[in-house]
């Protein structure tokens, strides 16, 4: 059964606007967790941890998840459900006549940039399904898997074809509408992915020499951390939880008024973090047992896991299932990114949903193609030692998302007003909101100050500010 709520458009008070709603609490969690769990957990988290020294980075990441991620996620749900709007319109509605809608533009820009490289990696995953099905992962060495990966991502055409297919699938689902498209699949497929990762974990930790990988994951050495790695841990927390750019605001706008927002935010955060850690446990023991470089960057998962599959009974089936589910997880995330842009086009630019989806998909795909080409050996587009792909990833995750998150926290902490927040968290005073005071304290002070410090430190400005006060 389809349920609608009515709101009114700002231009035409008499024209009721229909907005689709999630049908159940499970549906909301599935969709929001579907957005959160994706390549960020399984592809990005392991290689970021590998590049930044392992356990110390992970501890920081967990610290940021609890003190900043969770409160910002709840803030986004509050803003979304209260405004029933897209990321730009939400600020417009809740703070009319102010400059706040600017935050919406940061979000839309971030969605564009993220989806451009995300779709490239999504395309790689589709290629890996094909490799798995055709039995590529049966008896290779890590050098061979490294060669296969590099050879594939640096070829000009093949990755682009898969990237475009990935975008087309995402667009198709977004076109079908939020509820029908997203809820149904996420509910069944995400738990299945979890089961497969746990099976991979069991194989990885029982490999000979796995202990070294586990101690890399769990024994912190803080001397390895730099200002940039602290910023990357924060950026990763935002990226993994889909925060700072309005994906959760947009999904929050479809949440039923009886759902308990605090519980939903908590459950999504736990599921996302659990999957990232379990992905780390599937990868690092294998990395160390097999003598693979832990700081090789974006190829880490694609080089390591094939060897894990080949070392386990039923490896063929597991590899096919794993990469297929990885594609699904990536798609449930990419639709939330695309939905941010589409909802904005539909509600603010008054486009019809079909046109909005096609235009957004086409524009993002063009950037995605440039991004993919920037890795190819024949084109090579680099500035300051980073290619276009790395730049998109760095700027969106480590600059735009924390900035967006900073403003979102400030908005809920300082602008929205305590009463409105309490009303939203308690569903108009019908349920308890026991953590309300802690939440307000975190969004008002802790999250903004922490983000500002990490940010200024990461871009190298903090030391100059501190020098002024010396
Ligand atoms: N959280 C997603 C992932 O981990 C990526 C994402 C980022 C989705 C920002 C939406 C918004 O893969």
């Amino acid at each position: 059964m389809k349920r609608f709520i009515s709101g009114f458009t700002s231009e035409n008070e008499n024209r009721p606007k229909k907005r689709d709603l999630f049908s159940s609490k499970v549906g909301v969690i599935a969709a929001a967790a579907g957005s959160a769990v994706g390549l960020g957990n399984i592809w990005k988290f392991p290689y970021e941890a590998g590049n930044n020294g392992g356990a110390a980075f992970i501890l920081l990441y967990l610290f940021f998840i609890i003190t900043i991620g969770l409160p910002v996620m709840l803030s986004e749900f509050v803003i979304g459900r209260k405004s029933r709007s897209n990321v730009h319109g939400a600020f417009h509605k809740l703070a009319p006549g102010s400059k706040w809608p600017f935050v919406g533009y940061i979000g839309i820009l971030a969605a564009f940039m993220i989806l451009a490289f995300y779709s490239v990696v999504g395309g790689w995953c589709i290629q890996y399904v094909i490799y798995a099905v055709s039995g590529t992962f049966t008896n290779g060495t890590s050098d061979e898997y490294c060669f296969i990966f590099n050879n594939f991502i640096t070829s000009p055409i093949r990755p682009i074809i898969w990237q475009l297919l990935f975008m087309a699938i995402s667009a198709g689902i977004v076109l079908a509408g939020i509820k029908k498209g997203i809820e149904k699949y996420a509910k069944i497929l995400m738990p299945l992915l979890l089961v497969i990762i746990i099976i991979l974990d069991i194989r990885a930790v029982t490999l000979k020499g796995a202990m070294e990988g586990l101690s890399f994951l769990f024994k912190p050495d803080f001397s390895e951390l730099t200002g940039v790695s602290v910023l990357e841990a924060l950026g990763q927390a935002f990226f993994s939880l889909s925060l700072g750019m309005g994906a959760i605001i947009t999904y929050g706008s479809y949440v039923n008024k009886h759902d308990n927002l605090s519980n939903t935010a908590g459950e999504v955060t736990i599921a996302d973090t659990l999957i990232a850690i379990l992905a780390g446990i599937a990868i690092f023991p294998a990395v160390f047992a097999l003598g693979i470089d832990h700081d090789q960057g974006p190829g880490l998962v694609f080089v390591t896991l094939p060897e894990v599959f080949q070392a386990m009974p039923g490896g063929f089936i597991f590899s096919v299932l794993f990469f297929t589910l990885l594609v699904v997880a990536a798609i449930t995330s990419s639709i939330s990114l695309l939905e941010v842009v589409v909802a904005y086009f539909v509600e603010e630019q008054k486009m019809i949903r079909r046109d909005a989806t096609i235009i957004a998909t086409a524009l993002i795909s063009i950037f995605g193609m440039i991004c993919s080409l920037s890795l190819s050996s024949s084109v090579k587009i680099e500035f300051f030692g980073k290619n276009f792909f790395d730049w998109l990833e760095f700027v969106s995750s480590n600059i735009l998302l924390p900035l967006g998150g900073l403003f979102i926290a400030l908005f809920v902490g300082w602008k929205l007003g305590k009463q409105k927040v309490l009303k939203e968290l308690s569903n108009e005073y019908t349920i308890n909101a026991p953590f309300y005071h802690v939440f307000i304290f975190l969004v008002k002070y802790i999250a903004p100050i922490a983000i500002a410090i990490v940010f200024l430190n990461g871009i190298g400005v903090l030391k100059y500010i501190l020098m002024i006060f010396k």
Side-chain angles (χ1 to χ4, degrees):
M1 189 183 68
K2 217 175 185 143
R3 268 191 267 164
F4 289 112
I5 61 140
S6 328
F8 293 95
T9 55
S10 44
E11 273 97 330
N12 186 346
E13 291 286 53
N14 299 320
R15 186 156 59 96
K17 195 169 70 181
K18 287 180 175 171
R19 298 188 96 250
D20 215 350
L21 281 190
F22 290 125
S23 58
S24 65
K25 181 163 158 58
V26 180
V28 177
I29 293 176
S35 167
V37 175
L39 298 172
N41 310 57
I42 294 159
W43 161 74
K44 200 164 183 292
F45 174 76
Y47 89 72
E48 292 276 2
N51 280 352
N52 291 297
F57 175 89
I58 295 173
L59 279 179
L60 257 181
Y61 166 79
L62 293 175
F63 176 74
F64 289 144
I65 291 274
I66 296 167
T67 54
I68 301 177
L70 187 55
V72 171
M73 175 168 297
L74 189 51
S75 301
E76 290 207 22
F77 271 122
V78 166
I79 295 175
R81 190 173 67 176
K82 185 147 193 59
S83 65
R84 298 261 180 237
S85 279
N86 65 86
V87 58
H88 178 268
F91 290 97
H92 196 67
K93 253 194 194 161
L94 299 179
S98 70
K99 296 249 181 311
W100 283 102
F102 176 76
V103 182
Y105 291 127
I106 302 183
I108 292 159
L109 180 65
F112 251 91
M113 293 175 74
I114 294 175
L115 199 45
F117 73 82
Y118 206 86
S119 58
V120 174
V121 184
W124 298 351
C125 298
I126 300 182
Q127 170 69 68
Y128 269 66
V129 175
I130 314 264
Y131 281 151
V133 172
S134 53
T136 310
F137 310 132
T138 41
N139 56 358
T141 61
S142 46
D143 284 345
E144 279 161 353
Y145 292 132
C146 207
F147 176 79
I148 291 178
F149 176 74
N150 284 323
N151 192 32
F152 161 60
I153 67 159
T154 53
S155 56
I157 307 295
R158 239 182 338 144
I160 290 187
I161 295 176
W162 297 130
Q163 177 229 344
L164 292 178
L165 176 65
F166 182 85
M167 282 304 290
I169 301 172
S170 309
I173 299 179
V174 167
L175 257 186
I178 276 296
K179 215 180 77 182
K180 269 183 282 167
I182 302 171
E183 267 188 60
K184 201 164 80 194
Y185 300 106
K187 252 192 305 215
I188 317 161
L189 295 174
M190 290 300 102
L192 191 57
L193 178 64
L194 179 66
V195 172
I196 302 231
I197 295 178
I198 293 174
I199 296 173
L200 278 176
D201 284 344
I202 296 170
R203 173 65 270 206
V205 297
T206 50
L207 284 169
K208 218 164 136 225
M211 269 324 282
E212 212 185 324
L214 287 175
S215 64
F216 179 78
L217 270 179
F218 297 114
K219 271 206 184 136
D221 172 4
F222 287 95
S223 65
E224 294 237 9
L225 285 179
T226 61
V228 176
S229 44
V230 178
L231 179 61
E232 290 198 347
L234 179 68
Q236 177 60 23
F238 274 101
F239 186 88
S240 191
L241 291 175
S242 304
L243 298 177
M245 43 72 69
I248 302 297
I249 293 184
T250 309
Y251 276 11
S253 76
Y254 308 123
V255 172
N256 206 287
K257 68 175 196 247
H258 302 296
D259 283 340
N260 183 333
L261 294 183
S262 318
N263 287 353
T264 307
E267 283 153 23
V268 172
T269 303
I270 291 172
D272 186 71
T273 309
L274 188 71
I275 295 210
I277 301 290
L278 289 174
I281 298 177
I283 286 164
F284 285 104
V287 164
F288 283 85
L290 304 165
I292 296 171
D293 281 342
H294 61 77
D295 53 0
Q296 61 176 286
L300 187 65
V301 174
F302 295 101
V303 173
T304 311
L305 288 184
E307 278 215 52
V308 178
F309 290 123
Q310 108 190 355
M312 63 199 272
F316 173 78
I317 295 290
F318 282 122
S319 66
V320 174
L321 266 174
F322 174 81
F323 284 113
T324 309
L325 289 168
L326 186 55
V327 172
V328 174
I331 284 179
T332 55
S333 301
S334 77
I335 50 185
S336 72
L337 287 155
L338 191 54
E339 180 66 23
V340 168
V341 185
V342 170
Y344 166 75
F345 280 167
V346 171
E347 291 172 9
E348 305 299 309
Q349 305 298 332
K350 308 287 174 258
M351 287 186 191
I352 57 170
R353 196 166 173 89
R354 192 197 63 206
D355 294 356
T357 311
I358 293 173
I359 291 174
T361 306
L363 286 174
I364 293 167
S365 299
I366 293 171
F367 272 99
M369 287 196 273
I370 302 175
C371 184
S372 180
L373 279 176
S374 82
L375 301 174
S376 118
S377 35
S378 45
V379 185
K380 270 253 169 355
I381 317 170
E382 279 193 0
F383 329 84
F384 300 105
K386 272 194 205 295
N387 57 38
F388 189 52
F389 182 100
D390 295 338
W391 272 114
L392 279 180
E393 194 193 329
F394 187 84
V395 173
S396 58
S397 318
N398 303 331
I399 297 184
L400 294 179
L401 299 186
L403 266 188
L406 172 68
F407 288 122
I408 288 166
L410 288 174
F411 184 80
V412 170
W414 296 88
K415 173 79 189 163
L416 205 55
K418 278 188 181 168
Q419 273 317 310
K420 284 193 186 147
V421 175
L422 180 59
K423 200 168 152 192
E424 203 54 46
L425 292 183
S426 64
N427 295 350
E428 310 222 341
Y429 315 112
T430 55
I431 55 170
N432 280 337
F435 300 114
Y436 162 72
H437 291 289
V438 183
F439 170 63
I440 291 287
F441 180 69
L442 287 173
V443 284
K444 227 173 164 159
Y445 304 106
I446 303 298
I449 295 172
I451 297 172
I453 293 177
V454 173
F455 189 69
L456 294 174
N457 184 35
I459 58 173
V461 179
L462 189 66
K463 55 178 184 274
Y464 298 109
I465 299 180
L466 291 176
M467 260 153 64
I468 299 174
F469 291 102
K470 252 189 186 160

